[in-house]
Each structure stands twice: as structure tokens, then as C-alpha cells.
Amino acid sequence: MAGQGLQHRRRRVVVLFSLPFQGHLNPMLKLASLLAARGLGVTVLHTDFNAPDPTRHPAGLAFVPIHETLPGEATSPYSHILTKLLALNAACEAPFREVLASLLMRARHRDDDVACAVVDGQCYAARRRRARQEQLDEPVPDHDPLRVRDLIRVDGCDDDEHCSFITSVADAVRAAASGIVINTFDAIEASELTKLQSELSLPAFAVGPLHMLKFQAPPVEQSLHEPDRGCLPWLDTHPPRSVIYVSLGSLACGDRLVFDEMAWGLAASGVPFLWVVRPGLVITGSGDDDEAPPPPLPEGFEEETRGRGRIVKWAPQREVLAHASVGVFWTHCGWNSTLESVCEGVPMLVQPCFGDQMVTARYVTHEWGVGMEVGEVIERGKVAEAVAEVMVGEDGALMRERARHLKMEASAATGSAMDGLVRYILSL
């Protein structure tokens, strides 16, 4: 009995480590808060780059920097995402292992017992093959509704380097992981979760939607830009479902031509819009200063859309999507953005940029039926047609109804998977 009492007093600790990008940090910090609320000790390892502010998060979380040294390509807003990932992996591996080893050593001299580490692994399993142009619309065997063109990719990056990176991530999961934690829920990915558990022979915990679960002390959102809350009173002045919200996330960047075609497409649509035009959204070739001002709008655009549009550097996205006046979300299909849109019942206009966004976009449009594509080529006429169709067309009405049902499914998520995750951690 004495031994059982000692074991009971030992606190189980979970160590978490996320890539230093907004879309990765926020769900990881939400997971940290939920685990801490269930009695686990939680230590968040983090990079110095885009480091979270401990004072803005629940007191029960411990934050430990790994003090990495990053090359410029890891932090430049104009680097390809694969270049960033490769540079970050190379720079963070040694300091992460050193800090983790130090934590484990200190735990031996205290009453703490490190149960496991939860490490960022967005590309947990994927494969890519070289494809000719005529193969792009072929279905991927056993992965309906995906086509070859929807497979994870980063345009402009070397194929072999890309495949090597994804293979390394998948091999690491199979070799070292005890389980998979995913910010999703059964109603939208039940069959995918079953396949994942079968292929990896590991338990998979669908703990999402994380942002909708109840927190004792809600974690503060990690944001690279200060949200412009003035857009909320502006939305108040518009009728229900009349505004299109446009945001391509915190990392995507494109050329000036695409930006201009987006702008003139919005202008031609006649639809009121709230558009996030952040620093780094357009590749300027003038350096990698992420604090540079946002790109200038096309000449004459503001006069053409005066009184109908609002431009912000950043928006309080969850509040925007929950606003009654927002009818459609034009999105890059980052997973956090997609999940937030699903949970608010807002149909989507999709413009995936890189990585798993292609996969997510295909699910939005062809599996869940809550969105449509802007188009392979961003051209103002097609943009205007797509915006009008999804806002007021028959297809848009069908998408809105399906989105409403998905919102109900998301609201019914109970958080029971989180309880199962905690039980599993305590059993390790």
C-alpha cells in the first residue's frame, strides 16, 4: 500500500513541442491547457522564434525555450514552406533533444514522472509521386475523393527533397510514436481515422474541435499580427450572410498578379467584403522584413469599392466567422481556418496554397460539399462568378445547408476523446 501511495503522489507530466507557426502553436497551446485542466503537469517546449508569452497563458503551464539558432530561410516570410520546415527541423533537432534530456534528468530527482512528449507532426503519413500533366485528375487509389493534383505538395520545391522530408516524418511516427493526437472529430473524418489507426497500428485520438472545448482558463490566441477589432462594428452594419470574408492565413504569399486578380474579382462581384491584406502576403523581392507594410492595393480599387469593402492587416477570425453578416469564407484551407468555418456553419470558397491545404480543399468541396474552388488560375472574371455563385447561387444555398448540418455535428462533439487521451497518457 505504501508503494501505491508513492506512485499516486507522482505527478504525470506531458511535454509538448510545436512548430513556431501561428496555425501550429494555437491548437498545441489549447491542447496543453486542456491536459493541465485534467490534472496533468504540462511543459511546453518552444523555439525563441515566435515564442509564446507565458504571462498570457494559464499559470499551470511551464514554458521552456530550446534556444535554437535559425538560418534566414527558416524565418523569411518569402521562403517556401518546405524550405522553412527543413531548416527548422535541422536547427531544432539537437537543442530539442538536449532540453528534453535535461527535463527527464531533473524529473528523476523530483516527484514528476514524464509520461510522454507530444510533438508537432502535421505530415504524419503521406506520399507523392512524379506526375505528368495528363495524370493530375486521376484518382488516388484507396484515397477517395483525392486526385493526384490534390496530394500534399509545395510548388517550386524539389520533388526528391519533398518526398524525403515526408518519408522521414512518416518513418519517425511509425518508429517512435505511441499514439496520434489530431484536432478533428468523428463526424467529418471517421473513415480516415480508422484507416490511420489501421495503417500505423497506433491509437488515434480525435480531440477536436479544440477551440470549441470548455477551458477552465481559455488560452490566449498566439497571433503574429494584432487583430483589427474595428471590423466587427463594420460587420454590424450589414445584413445577415451578405459579406464575404477573405483571408489566406498567416504564411501564404503569392505574386502581384494573383493579388491584383483577387482584388478586381472582388470588385466585379458586387459583394461586400472583409479582406485580410497582411504584411508578406505579396512577394515583393525587397527583402524578408515581415514588418514591412501590407502590399498596396491596385490603383483605382478603393474608389471602385468605396463603401462596400474593408481592408485589415489581421482580423479576429473566430469572431468574424461567428458574425451573422458573414456568408462565405474565402480561405487557403489551412486546417484551423477550415475547422473554424465548419464549426460556424460558414460555406467556403477555397484557394489552397501549399502542403496539406490541397487535401483539405478537396474534402471541403467534394467530400463534405460545403465549398467550391476559386479556380486553378486566379482570374478576375472567374473570381467574380465564383463569389456570386457561392453567395447567392443555387449551389451556394446547398453548401450553406450542408454547412449548417456540419455545425450541428461539431457542436455535438463532447470532448470524450480528450478524456480517453488522458487515460492513455496515464497508462504509459
Side-chain angles (χ1 to χ4, degrees):
M1 294 296 291
Q4 291 178 351
L6 178 62
Q7 185 179 22
H8 179 73
R9 287 196 301 271
R10 288 176 64 82
R11 185 179 65 154
R12 306 306 300 277
V13 175
V14 178
V15 178
L16 297 97
F17 180 68
S18 168
L19 290 173
F21 302 132
Q22 181 172 322
H24 293 242
L25 282 168
N26 282 328
M28 189 71 86
L29 290 170
K30 290 183 177 75
L31 177 61
S33 296
L34 288 164
L35 292 175
R38 284 163 169 76
L40 291 166
V42 176
T43 297
V44 177
L45 302 189
H46 61 83
T47 59
D48 290 327
F49 174 61
N50 287 345
D53 181 356
T55 65
R56 304 181 69 190
H57 298 279
L61 304 184
F63 288 83
V64 179
I66 66 170
H67 296 310
E68 79 291 350
T69 300
L70 295 180
E73 58 264 28
T75 59
S76 169
Y78 305 116
S79 297
H80 281 293
I81 187 62
L82 180 58
T83 302
K84 293 179 189 288
L85 291 172
L86 291 170
L88 282 164
N89 273 268
C92 292
E93 181 178 4
F96 168 77
R97 291 183 181 277
E98 290 172 5
V99 173
L100 183 60
S102 177
L103 286 175
L104 293 172
M105 183 67 69
R106 288 202 301 270
R108 294 175 186 172
H109 301 289
R110 301 184 310 203
D111 288 335
D112 289 344
D113 176 17
V114 178
C116 64
V118 180
V119 180
D120 195 309
Q122 183 181 17
C123 299
Y124 51 83
R127 58 189 174 90
R128 182 167 190 245
R129 67 192 186 193
R130 296 178 184 270
R132 297 188 302 274
Q133 186 68 29
E134 62 269 20
Q135 294 177 307
L136 293 179
D137 289 317
E138 291 182 5
V140 179
D142 302 321
H143 288 81
D144 185 67
L146 300 183
R147 305 160 299 176
V148 171
R149 70 168 69 248
D150 302 315
L151 294 176
I152 294 173
R153 71 178 189 268
V154 180
D155 292 336
C157 287
D158 179 79
D159 280 354
D160 292 335
E161 190 175 46
H162 187 197
C163 289
S164 177
F165 171 77
I166 292 178
T167 300
S168 296
V169 173
D171 288 347
V173 169
R174 291 187 175 94
S178 299
I180 309 293
V181 182
I182 311 174
N183 185 18
T184 190
F185 57 104
D186 284 336
I188 58 173
E189 292 194 288
S191 63
E192 288 74 17
L193 289 163
T194 299
K195 288 179 183 177
L196 181 63
Q197 293 182 93
S198 175
E199 291 178 9
L200 296 179
S201 299
L202 293 171
F205 300 92
V207 298
L210 281 173
H211 72 277
M212 292 188 67
L213 300 184
K214 293 181 179 179
F215 295 87
Q216 291 181 341
V220 176
E221 291 283 325
Q222 181 84 3
S223 181
L224 303 182
H225 307 284
E226 186 65 28
D228 182 347
R229 302 189 63 81
C231 65
L232 298 175
W234 181 83
L235 288 172
D236 291 340
T237 66
H238 290 78
R241 299 190 300 275
S242 65
V243 176
I244 183 169
Y245 168 56
V246 185
S247 176
L248 300 185
S250 60
L251 280 177
C253 57
D255 61 35
R256 181 76 211 190
L257 178 61
V258 169
F259 179 78
D260 287 352
E261 292 300 305
M262 290 178 65
W264 289 119
L266 284 171
S269 73
V271 172
F273 60 88
L274 171 62
W275 188 9
V276 174
V277 179
R278 58 167 175 78
L281 181 61
V282 173
I283 300 172
T284 63
S286 60
D288 58 2
D289 185 7
D290 198 32
E291 298 303 316
L297 296 166
E299 185 176 354
F301 174 77
E302 290 180 278
E303 290 77 9
E304 180 74 19
T305 60
R306 193 175 303 281
R308 183 161 57 83
R310 185 176 179 97
I311 306 292
V312 296
K313 290 183 180 180
W314 199 247
Q317 181 162 290
R318 285 177 54 192
E319 293 174 78
V320 168
L321 290 172
H323 200 284
S325 70
V326 172
V328 171
F329 181 16
W330 181 345
T331 175
H332 65 310
C333 282
W335 184 247
N336 291 322
S337 291
T338 301
L339 203 56
E340 289 167 3
S341 198
V342 164
C343 291
E344 295 300 339
V346 178
M348 287 166 265
L349 195 59
V350 304
Q351 183 185 342
C353 300
F354 54 74
D356 64 327
Q357 296 164 13
M358 282 72 176
V359 175
T360 303
R362 186 68 174 174
Y363 270 76
V364 167
T365 57
H366 286 74
E367 182 71 9
W368 309 328
V370 295
M372 63 181 292
E373 298 176 2
V374 180
E376 282 288 319
V377 177
I378 307 300
E379 186 274 324
R380 64 189 69 184
K382 293 180 179 178
V383 166
E385 291 175 5
V387 170
E389 178 59 35
V390 76
M391 287 293 293
V392 298
E394 292 184 8
D395 288 343
L398 292 173
M399 295 173 203
R400 188 166 288 107
E401 181 62 20
R402 295 189 195 105
R404 187 180 69 84
H405 284 290
L406 279 189
K407 178 181 180 179
M408 294 171 60
E409 297 274 11
S411 298
T414 63
S416 59
M418 182 65 67
D419 296 329
L421 172 62
V422 171
R423 289 193 296 270
Y424 183 67
I425 290 173
L426 293 173
S427 74
L428 295 175

Short mmCIF file of all heavy atoms in Angstrom, two decimals, residues 21-27 30 183 211 317 321 329 332-342:
data_model
loop_
_atom_site.label_atom_id
_atom_site.label_comp_id
_atom_site.label_asym_id
_atom_site.label_seq_id
_atom_site.Cartn_x
_atom_site.Cartn_y
_atom_site.Cartn_z
N PHE A 21 4.76 28.31 -35.85
CA PHE A 21 3.84 29.00 -36.74
C PHE A 21 2.51 29.13 -36.04
O PHE A 21 2.09 28.26 -35.29
CB PHE A 21 3.67 28.23 -38.06
CG PHE A 21 4.94 27.98 -38.82
CD1 PHE A 21 5.23 26.72 -39.32
CD2 PHE A 21 5.85 29.01 -39.02
CE1 PHE A 21 6.40 26.48 -40.01
CE2 PHE A 21 7.02 28.78 -39.72
CZ PHE A 21 7.31 27.52 -40.21
N GLN A 22 1.81 30.21 -36.32
CA GLN A 22 0.56 30.52 -35.64
C GLN A 22 -0.43 29.37 -35.71
O GLN A 22 -1.06 29.01 -34.72
CB GLN A 22 -0.05 31.79 -36.23
CG GLN A 22 -1.35 32.23 -35.59
CD GLN A 22 -1.78 33.58 -36.10
OE1 GLN A 22 -0.96 34.45 -36.32
NE2 GLN A 22 -3.07 33.77 -36.29
N GLY A 23 -0.59 28.79 -36.90
CA GLY A 23 -1.56 27.72 -37.07
C GLY A 23 -1.19 26.42 -36.38
O GLY A 23 -2.04 25.54 -36.23
N HIS A 24 0.06 26.29 -35.97
CA HIS A 24 0.51 25.12 -35.22
C HIS A 24 0.48 25.38 -33.72
O HIS A 24 0.08 24.53 -32.93
CB HIS A 24 1.93 24.74 -35.64
CG HIS A 24 2.04 24.25 -37.05
ND1 HIS A 24 2.47 22.98 -37.36
CD2 HIS A 24 1.78 24.86 -38.23
CE1 HIS A 24 2.47 22.82 -38.68
NE2 HIS A 24 2.05 23.96 -39.23
N LEU A 25 0.94 26.58 -33.34
CA LEU A 25 1.05 26.91 -31.92
C LEU A 25 -0.32 26.95 -31.23
O LEU A 25 -0.48 26.43 -30.11
CB LEU A 25 1.75 28.26 -31.74
CG LEU A 25 3.27 28.26 -31.89
CD1 LEU A 25 3.78 29.69 -31.99
CD2 LEU A 25 3.92 27.56 -30.70
N ASN A 26 -1.31 27.57 -31.87
CA ASN A 26 -2.59 27.76 -31.20
C ASN A 26 -3.27 26.45 -30.80
O ASN A 26 -3.69 26.30 -29.65
CB ASN A 26 -3.51 28.62 -32.06
CG ASN A 26 -3.17 30.10 -31.96
OD1 ASN A 26 -2.71 30.56 -30.91
ND2 ASN A 26 -3.37 30.84 -33.03
N PRO A 27 -3.43 25.46 -31.70
CA PRO A 27 -4.04 24.21 -31.25
C PRO A 27 -3.19 23.47 -30.23
O PRO A 27 -3.73 22.82 -29.32
CB PRO A 27 -4.21 23.40 -32.54
CG PRO A 27 -3.31 24.04 -33.53
CD PRO A 27 -3.21 25.47 -33.15
N LYS A 30 -3.86 25.10 -26.91
CA LYS A 30 -5.19 24.69 -26.44
C LYS A 30 -5.13 23.29 -25.85
O LYS A 30 -5.72 23.02 -24.78
CB LYS A 30 -6.19 24.75 -27.59
CG LYS A 30 -6.54 26.15 -28.06
CD LYS A 30 -7.60 26.09 -29.14
CE LYS A 30 -8.01 27.49 -29.58
NZ LYS A 30 -7.01 28.13 -30.43
N ASN A 183 -6.51 17.24 -34.18
CA ASN A 183 -7.55 18.24 -33.94
C ASN A 183 -8.65 18.09 -34.98
O ASN A 183 -8.76 18.86 -35.93
CB ASN A 183 -6.95 19.65 -33.99
CG ASN A 183 -7.95 20.73 -33.62
OD1 ASN A 183 -8.98 20.44 -33.01
ND2 ASN A 183 -7.66 21.96 -33.98
N HIS A 211 -10.89 24.35 -30.34
CA HIS A 211 -11.29 25.71 -29.98
C HIS A 211 -12.70 25.78 -29.42
O HIS A 211 -13.09 26.81 -28.85
CB HIS A 211 -11.15 26.64 -31.20
CG HIS A 211 -12.19 26.44 -32.25
ND1 HIS A 211 -12.08 25.46 -33.22
CD2 HIS A 211 -13.36 27.08 -32.50
CE1 HIS A 211 -13.13 25.51 -34.02
NE2 HIS A 211 -13.92 26.49 -33.61
N GLN A 317 -10.49 36.25 -36.27
CA GLN A 317 -11.17 35.38 -37.22
C GLN A 317 -12.35 34.61 -36.63
O GLN A 317 -13.40 34.51 -37.27
CB GLN A 317 -10.16 34.40 -37.83
CG GLN A 317 -10.78 33.45 -38.86
CD GLN A 317 -9.77 32.82 -39.75
OE1 GLN A 317 -9.16 33.48 -40.58
NE2 GLN A 317 -9.53 31.53 -39.57
N LEU A 321 -16.06 34.88 -38.21
CA LEU A 321 -16.82 33.75 -38.77
C LEU A 321 -18.12 33.50 -38.02
O LEU A 321 -19.09 32.99 -38.60
CB LEU A 321 -15.96 32.49 -38.75
CG LEU A 321 -14.78 32.47 -39.73
CD1 LEU A 321 -13.89 31.27 -39.48
CD2 LEU A 321 -15.27 32.48 -41.18
N PHE A 329 -16.61 32.25 -46.51
CA PHE A 329 -15.21 32.42 -46.14
C PHE A 329 -14.35 32.01 -47.33
O PHE A 329 -14.35 30.85 -47.73
CB PHE A 329 -14.90 31.55 -44.92
CG PHE A 329 -13.49 31.63 -44.39
CD1 PHE A 329 -12.62 32.66 -44.75
CD2 PHE A 329 -13.02 30.67 -43.50
CE1 PHE A 329 -11.33 32.73 -44.25
CE2 PHE A 329 -11.74 30.73 -42.99
CZ PHE A 329 -10.89 31.75 -43.36
N HIS A 332 -7.60 29.76 -47.60
CA HIS A 332 -6.50 28.95 -48.12
C HIS A 332 -6.62 27.49 -47.70
O HIS A 332 -5.81 26.67 -48.09
CB HIS A 332 -5.17 29.52 -47.65
CG HIS A 332 -4.97 29.44 -46.17
ND1 HIS A 332 -5.91 29.87 -45.25
CD2 HIS A 332 -3.93 28.98 -45.42
CE1 HIS A 332 -5.46 29.68 -44.03
NE2 HIS A 332 -4.27 29.13 -44.10
N CYS A 333 -7.59 27.18 -46.87
CA CYS A 333 -7.83 25.82 -46.37
C CYS A 333 -6.74 25.34 -45.42
O CYS A 333 -6.43 24.13 -45.37
CB CYS A 333 -8.03 24.82 -47.51
SG CYS A 333 -9.68 24.90 -48.23
N GLY A 334 -6.13 26.25 -44.68
CA GLY A 334 -5.37 25.82 -43.51
C GLY A 334 -6.33 25.10 -42.58
O GLY A 334 -7.53 25.44 -42.51
N TRP A 335 -5.84 24.11 -41.86
CA TRP A 335 -6.76 23.27 -41.09
C TRP A 335 -7.50 24.04 -40.00
O TRP A 335 -8.70 23.85 -39.80
CB TRP A 335 -6.03 22.08 -40.48
CG TRP A 335 -6.98 21.15 -39.78
CD1 TRP A 335 -7.07 20.88 -38.45
CD2 TRP A 335 -8.04 20.38 -40.40
NE1 TRP A 335 -8.08 20.00 -38.19
CE2 TRP A 335 -8.69 19.67 -39.36
CE3 TRP A 335 -8.47 20.23 -41.71
CZ2 TRP A 335 -9.78 18.82 -39.62
CZ3 TRP A 335 -9.55 19.39 -41.95
CH2 TRP A 335 -10.18 18.70 -40.91
N ASN A 336 -6.82 24.94 -39.28
CA ASN A 336 -7.50 25.71 -38.26
C ASN A 336 -8.62 26.55 -38.86
O ASN A 336 -9.74 26.59 -38.33
CB ASN A 336 -6.51 26.62 -37.52
CG ASN A 336 -5.55 25.85 -36.66
OD1 ASN A 336 -5.92 24.86 -36.03
ND2 ASN A 336 -4.30 26.28 -36.63
N SER A 337 -8.33 27.22 -39.97
CA SER A 337 -9.35 28.05 -40.62
C SER A 337 -10.52 27.20 -41.10
O SER A 337 -11.70 27.58 -40.94
CB SER A 337 -8.74 28.81 -41.80
OG SER A 337 -7.83 29.79 -41.37
N THR A 338 -10.23 26.06 -41.68
CA THR A 338 -11.29 25.18 -42.17
C THR A 338 -12.17 24.70 -41.03
O THR A 338 -13.41 24.72 -41.12
CB THR A 338 -10.68 23.97 -42.90
OG1 THR A 338 -9.87 24.43 -43.99
CG2 THR A 338 -11.76 23.04 -43.43
N LEU A 339 -11.54 24.28 -39.94
CA LEU A 339 -12.30 23.77 -38.80
C LEU A 339 -13.16 24.87 -38.18
O LEU A 339 -14.31 24.64 -37.81
CB LEU A 339 -11.33 23.21 -37.76
CG LEU A 339 -11.87 22.17 -36.78
CD1 LEU A 339 -12.47 20.98 -37.52
CD2 LEU A 339 -10.77 21.70 -35.84
N GLU A 340 -12.62 26.08 -38.09
CA GLU A 340 -13.39 27.20 -37.54
C GLU A 340 -14.58 27.53 -38.42
O GLU A 340 -15.67 27.84 -37.93
CB GLU A 340 -12.48 28.42 -37.37
CG GLU A 340 -11.46 28.27 -36.24
CD GLU A 340 -10.35 29.31 -36.27
OE1 GLU A 340 -10.40 30.19 -37.15
OE2 GLU A 340 -9.45 29.23 -35.42
N SER A 341 -14.41 27.44 -39.73
CA SER A 341 -15.51 27.70 -40.65
C SER A 341 -16.59 26.63 -40.55
O SER A 341 -17.79 26.93 -40.51
CB SER A 341 -14.98 27.79 -42.09
OG SER A 341 -15.90 28.42 -42.95
N VAL A 342 -16.16 25.37 -40.48
CA VAL A 342 -17.09 24.26 -40.31
C VAL A 342 -17.90 24.43 -39.03
O VAL A 342 -19.13 24.25 -39.02
CB VAL A 342 -16.33 22.92 -40.30
CG1 VAL A 342 -17.20 21.79 -39.75
CG2 VAL A 342 -15.85 22.56 -41.70
#
